[in-house]
Amino acid sequence: MDKGFFGHPIGLRTLFLTEMWERMSYYGMRALLVLYMTGAMTGFNPGLGWSAIEANAIYGIYVGFVYFMVVPGGWIADNILGHQKAVLIGAIIIALGHFTLAIPLEQTFFLGLILIVLGTGLLKGNISTIVGSLYKDNDDRRESGYTIFYMSINIGSTLGFLICSYLGEKIGWHYGFGAAGIGMSFGVYQYIKFRHLLGSAGAEPNNMPDDKRANLIKWTKLSLVGMFIVIGMGLLGLVSFDPRAFAENFAYFLTTVAGLYFLYLFIFAGLNSAERKNLLLLFVLFIGAAAFWSGFDQSASSLSIFARDYTDLTIGNFAMPIGWLQFANPILVVTFAPIFAGMWAYLGRINMNPSLPLKFAIGLLFMALSFIVMIYAVNLAMVSAPVGMQWLLITYAIQTWGELALSPIGLAAFSKYSPKRYMGQMFGLWFLASAIGGVLAGLLGGDAMSEGLLSIEPIFAFMIQYYLIIAVILIALSFVIKAEDVQKAE
Ligand code: GLN
């Protein structure tokens, strides 16, 4: 058995480093995005001067598309490219996207974002799939393999905040974007150098007759041409674009796609009754996850603006970059992930391991609590701003505990309970929850910051209510969805 990387197949090292650099670039750039868009157009390090509503809507559309494109990216890898090649092409496109953003021109801004979206669509889901294919079916190291992989995500985002936020905020936005591109280039370099260590995992697309594949390739090419025409028209300003309206419609679109897809699988995919019950369970988790990310992803939108405008970021004589506050999340993920895993294992041994919907409800309760802390901080800021940075740090810490009750658990649940023959697409559905959450984060974050401090409380209070309502529904469902096979499978 290959144990070349901490007792895991050596190929995991290649994926670890690739994902680490990809997430470094993704989170590093994302921490700058809304600040750059809403930054004043004059003075040191001029931004684009856009309104909070507009900038947050664009942020939401961006995050939504990044995760939505994982679905077609998975399809292309499954049927045409194979996962390994898809990751390579994706990584190169992402690096080009960040370098495009590094060019200090407003015209290149949207082109850079589009390239990152397209590249991440090819990389993010497919690299997660290859992790699973490094192990034989009955290899019980798979789950801990995913845990190690989750670490790479968080080490990557720590590096991203550290480097990109410092350069972007203190020297110039475009240096931060460029640093993200250099980080991704390290990822590309090592992936090319060490890709052979992956062996046959994810090397080939699905088996099918040549003429069928040729047909799929033809339709893919046609779709790509269509897509590039639309993108080209958008970039040339031939179609008008209202970010807020677009983000709202995109949220409806994503919700409809996800709903129809679950319905299709439920009715037409020929699932047996046990598989249908599991699908219902995953649907419930999906709703919890989408709600969760709608709060979590505000770290780089409304909460970043709050950090910039109403928080004291000085330590001694040093004014800390705004993005550095977000360290709290990845550092605490790495610290607490083993503790949470140990706690679930212990509860399992004494037969008290919470069911999956219950864990998701816990995630949402933490999310609600984190925004209660924020409302407290907003009220303090109304009396006298800036407030201390501890409020945002506590908020991120609480959200991280929520993340640990939901995100790694959700990934593992989707890999365990999905109908096997629909595995790739089910991972796509999992990321669709992130897409919906991302767009909602942009919409809600924009509303929250639209009138400065005054508009924050009603929006955060509304969010707290919906987290609580969904958490209660999940808790109620955890009693109902106790179907035998689901229980057994757990
Ligand atoms: N933090 C995790 C990652 O970056 C999960 C993000 C998400 O699914 N929204 O992969």
Side-chain angles (χ1 to χ4, degrees):
M1 200 181 342
D2 176 2
K3 290 187 175 182
F5 184 62
F6 296 111
H8 286 261
I10 185 73
L12 187 61
R13 191 187 72 190
T14 308
L15 303 177
F16 184 103
L17 291 172
T18 312
E19 179 68 349
M20 185 187 89
W21 287 117
E22 186 268 331
R23 290 286 102 177
M24 175 271 180
S25 69
Y26 174 74
Y27 283 109
M29 184 288 264
R30 206 180 89 155
L32 299 176
L33 196 53
V34 168
L35 298 175
Y36 170 59
M37 286 190 281
T38 55
M41 291 166 77
T42 50
F44 156 76
N45 207 11
L48 295 176
W50 295 346
S51 73
I53 290 258
E54 248 179 346
N56 280 286
I58 291 171
Y59 167 82
I61 296 166
Y62 168 71
V63 177
F65 264 114
V66 157
Y67 287 115
F68 171 60
M69 290 312 274
V70 168
V71 179
W75 185 90
I76 289 181
D78 283 346
N79 294 301
I80 299 175
L81 291 175
H83 298 92
Q84 284 191 17
K85 210 184 280 168
V87 167
L88 175 63
I89 298 174
I92 294 172
I93 298 177
I94 294 173
L96 290 176
H98 290 295
F99 286 131
T100 308
L101 284 179
I103 303 170
L105 289 175
E106 201 176 315
Q107 290 82 339
T108 50
F109 179 66
F110 285 107
L111 177 63
L113 292 185
I114 290 169
L115 287 171
I116 300 170
V117 160
L118 298 178
T120 315
L122 281 172
L123 185 144
K124 177 77 176 150
N126 293 322
I127 196 167
S128 319
T129 312
I130 308 178
V131 171
S133 9
L134 288 174
Y135 305 90
K136 298 214 164 61
D137 270 350
N138 53 1
D139 191 332
D140 50 19
R141 292 176 302 168
R142 183 184 285 108
E143 213 155 295
S144 56
Y146 272 110
T147 309
I148 295 177
F149 187 67
Y150 212 77
M151 296 278 176
S152 74
I153 289 174
N154 289 285
I155 298 171
S157 56
T158 311
L159 285 174
F161 298 138
L162 179 73
I163 300 166
C164 300
S165 289
Y166 183 80
L167 292 175
E169 291 180 33
K170 299 290 178 195
I171 299 187
W173 302 114
H174 301 281
Y175 288 94
F177 297 141
I182 292 173
M184 188 68 257
S185 305
F186 287 142
V188 170
Y189 169 76
Q190 78 78 37
Y191 186 77
I192 293 174
K193 196 151 182 243
F194 297 114
R195 180 175 152 194
H196 63 276
L197 298 176
L198 298 173
S200 61
E204 297 297 331
N206 289 340
N207 253 333
M208 67 178 81
D210 284 348
D211 54 336
K212 187 170 174 210
R213 185 152 5 246
N215 202 22
L216 291 183
I217 292 176
K218 188 179 84 190
W219 283 108
T220 307
K221 280 186 182 158
L222 276 175
S223 315
L224 286 177
V225 170
M227 187 181 81
F228 286 125
I229 290 176
V230 174
I231 291 176
M233 282 167 50
L235 288 174
L236 293 173
L238 298 177
V239 278
S240 68
F241 170 76
D242 169 0
R244 176 73 193 193
F246 190 98
E248 282 169 13
N249 289 323
F250 189 36
Y252 288 124
F253 167 78
L254 290 172
T255 314
T256 313
V257 169
L260 288 178
Y261 201 73
F262 271 110
L263 207 63
Y264 160 78
L265 287 175
F266 196 78
I267 301 177
F268 299 109
L271 305 184
N272 64 34
S273 76
E275 285 173 328
R276 283 206 177 123
K277 277 177 196 151
N278 288 344
L279 187 68
L280 268 185
L281 172 75
L282 295 179
F283 179 64
V284 169
L285 300 185
F286 177 90
I287 294 173
F292 181 85
W293 299 121
S294 74
F296 186 87
D297 280 334
Q298 288 190 45
S299 55
S301 68
S302 61
L303 299 185
S304 268
I305 297 182
F306 185 83
R308 179 189 65 195
D309 296 346
Y310 309 111
T311 306
D312 179 8
L313 295 169
T314 49
I315 304 177
N317 285 333
F318 177 62
M320 208 174 75
I322 300 156
W324 281 16
L325 280 182
Q326 292 184 58
F327 277 153
N329 172 249
I331 289 177
L332 291 179
V333 166
V334 175
T335 320
F336 277 92
I339 300 175
F340 270 63
M343 188 174 71
W344 304 135
Y346 170 72
L347 290 174
R349 279 197 299 278
I350 58 170
N351 247 339
M352 296 271 289
N353 195 7
S355 66
L356 288 166
L358 210 54
K359 283 188 183 133
F360 272 54
I362 295 172
L364 285 171
L365 292 176
F366 275 124
M367 188 50 74
L369 184 63
S370 77
F371 278 97
I372 293 175
V373 173
M374 274 315 296
I375 288 188
Y376 182 75
V378 168
N379 283 311
L380 283 182
M382 290 215 198
V383 180
S384 115
V387 297
M389 63 176 96
Q390 70 272 22
W391 303 113
L392 276 166
L393 291 175
I394 296 173
T395 299
Y396 291 140
I398 299 174
Q399 290 185 354
T400 303
W401 293 324
E403 176 184 359
L404 286 170
L406 182 143
S407 181
I409 309 279
L411 259 184
F414 269 69
S415 81
K416 197 159 163 187
Y417 299 121
S418 295
K420 292 291 162 276
R421 53 202 181 285
Y422 292 106
M423 192 60 112
Q425 301 168 51
M426 292 300 293
F427 262 110
L429 267 176
W430 170 247
F431 284 113
L432 261 190
S434 295
I436 295 176
V439 188
L440 293 180
L443 288 168
L444 292 162
D447 285 342
M449 304 318 290
S450 57
E451 316 269 331
L453 280 177
L454 292 179
S455 45
I456 302 180
E457 182 165 347
I459 301 297
F460 284 2
F462 164 74
M463 285 159 41
I464 291 167
Q465 279 166 28
Y466 85 65
Y467 296 139
L468 291 179
I469 292 173
I470 298 177
V472 169
I473 296 176
L474 288 176
I475 293 170
L477 285 175
S478 73
F479 293 105
V480 183
I481 313 188
K482 254 193 179 156
E484 234 174 279
D485 29 277
V486 173
Q487 278 291 64
K488 218 188 317 159
E490 267 182 52

